[in-house]
Amino acid sequence: MKIIDITPENQHHYFCCLEEWSDDIKEAGDFKQKWYEKMKDKGIRVKYAVDDHGIIGGMIQYIPIEHSMFEGKNLYVVLCIWVHGHKQGRGDYRHRGMGKALILAAEEDCRELGADGLVTWGLILPVFMRASWFKRQGHKVVDKYGMMRLLWKPFNEDAIAPKFIRPQKLPAKGSGKVNVTLFRNGWCPVMTLAYERVKRASEEFPGKIEIVEYDTTNREIVNEWGISDALYIDGKEVRTGPPPSFEKIRRKVARRVRKL
């Protein structure tokens, strides 16, 4: 196994999160590619874990904290670390040490870049981005928000601990129409998938839906709202991970329309 950097020749694997086989990834569109093009000049870093046969089995993406959903200074943030674990496509690459190799490579890279530390986030549930896994890699919890934990590994004594950016205000209920509000960053196709489904569902109710969309690659919007990625229907947040099915989102929209 070896760790390699993203290149123009292999970046298409990154845009689909190694899931070329997935219809859901196709439904999410090209927002991740567009996001990457925006972030290339802002410090985005992407690395792959490659097996002995040259097959990419995992990836990690990290970015300066100033362009993330957290507060901090001179730190890098791991947006996600992903080892392909499905039977489809390239197959299951879990439990081969790829995740550990990727996080160590990112730490070394960030040290060389002059960062004061590497920030990670995780969930207390045993699903994607488990906080417990990052703890085993030597990262310590510095902030909590709901089921999420913010962790980090400082590289020196002068490092300042990061914090969650918390919501400052929430979208209001619509007046005369159902208010669908999207806070879209673009780095994660899973969240983008929910946004695309709610927009498609809204088309079935012409004149009944008002869609407001915020591009949270704009840091001023993140600071104003305290929200980076989220979906709200009439002021009520809809969980986007794992992404709800189109039918589930359509039912939520339809219920609000009936109450107009």
Side-chain angles (χ1 to χ4, degrees):
M1 180 183 63
K2 62 181 179 180
I3 305 299
I4 65 172
D5 291 317
I6 192 172
T7 67
E9 292 72 31
N10 64 30
Q11 64 185 13
H12 60 283
H13 298 299
Y14 168 69
F15 298 149
C16 65
C17 297
L18 313 182
E19 296 185 11
E20 294 90 344
W21 53 269
S22 171
D23 290 336
D24 283 351
I25 290 291
K26 295 181 179 69
E27 188 181 348
D30 62 353
F31 286 92
K32 182 165 185 173
Q33 181 174 352
K34 293 177 179 176
W35 175 86
Y36 178 72
E37 293 299 326
K38 286 183 181 179
M39 293 296 118
K40 280 199 300 186
D41 294 332
K42 297 181 179 179
I44 178 67
R45 312 284 284 185
V46 180
K47 294 183 181 295
Y48 296 124
V50 181
D51 73 3
D52 294 338
H53 301 288
I55 304 299
I56 297 172
M59 67 179 211
I60 188 170
Q61 54 180 340
Y62 48 104
I63 197 167
I65 195 168
E66 293 81 7
H67 303 297
S68 77
M69 55 284 208
F70 308 118
E71 292 184 31
K73 183 178 180 181
N74 198 33
L75 302 168
Y76 272 78
V77 172
V78 175
L79 297 177
C80 79
I81 182 169
W82 170 242
V83 174
H84 193 274
H86 301 284
K87 293 180 180 179
Q88 302 98 316
R90 62 195 68 229
D92 192 344
Y93 278 83
R94 294 173 297 176
H95 311 300
R96 302 188 190 187
M98 284 189 169
K100 185 174 182 178
L102 285 165
I103 195 75
L104 289 175
E107 290 173 10
E108 182 180 355
D109 186 33
C110 291
R111 288 178 189 270
E112 292 177 355
L113 290 168
D116 289 334
L118 183 64
V119 180
T120 54
W121 65 273
L123 302 173
I124 59 175
L125 299 177
V127 290
F128 176 69
M129 296 287 285
R130 290 174 294 173
S132 59
W133 185 85
F134 290 107
K135 289 180 182 178
R136 292 197 296 273
Q137 312 315 313
H139 290 234
K140 296 182 179 180
V141 175
V142 291
D143 202 1
K144 301 178 181 180
Y145 184 70
M147 294 185 295
M148 295 180 65
R149 298 293 182 266
L150 190 62
L151 307 94
W152 78 327
K153 180 180 284 188
F155 300 152
N156 57 62
E157 295 180 354
D158 296 328
I160 300 173
K163 297 186 296 184
F164 277 112
I165 295 177
R166 287 171 165 77
Q168 303 298 311
K169 58 181 180 179
L170 299 176
K173 181 179 178 182
S175 177
K177 293 183 179 181
V178 175
N179 180 11
V180 173
T181 306
L182 312 176
F183 294 88
R184 189 203 298 263
N185 186 273
W187 70 267
C188 179
V190 169
M191 290 180 280
T192 294
L193 181 58
Y195 307 151
E196 291 303 290
R197 285 175 174 170
V198 77
K199 290 174 73 173
R200 183 154 56 92
S202 298
E203 292 174 357
E204 298 185 16
F205 306 94
K208 303 291 185 180
I209 311 291
E210 181 179 9
I211 296 180
V212 180
E213 186 167 353
Y214 294 98
D215 177 3
T216 57
T217 60
N218 182 339
R219 187 68 176 194
E220 292 182 2
I221 292 175
V222 176
N223 291 337
E224 176 186 356
W225 288 86
I227 301 171
S228 177
D229 263 290
L231 164 62
Y232 291 85
I233 299 177
D234 264 349
K236 185 175 181 180
E237 186 172 7
V238 177
R239 190 180 300 276
T240 56
S245 67
F246 171 78
E247 286 303 321
K248 184 173 183 179
I249 286 183
R250 186 191 179 283
R251 288 195 297 270
K252 289 181 178 293
V253 174
R255 281 198 296 269
R256 299 308 308 175
V257 169
R258 287 196 296 269
K259 293 182 178 181
L260 288 176

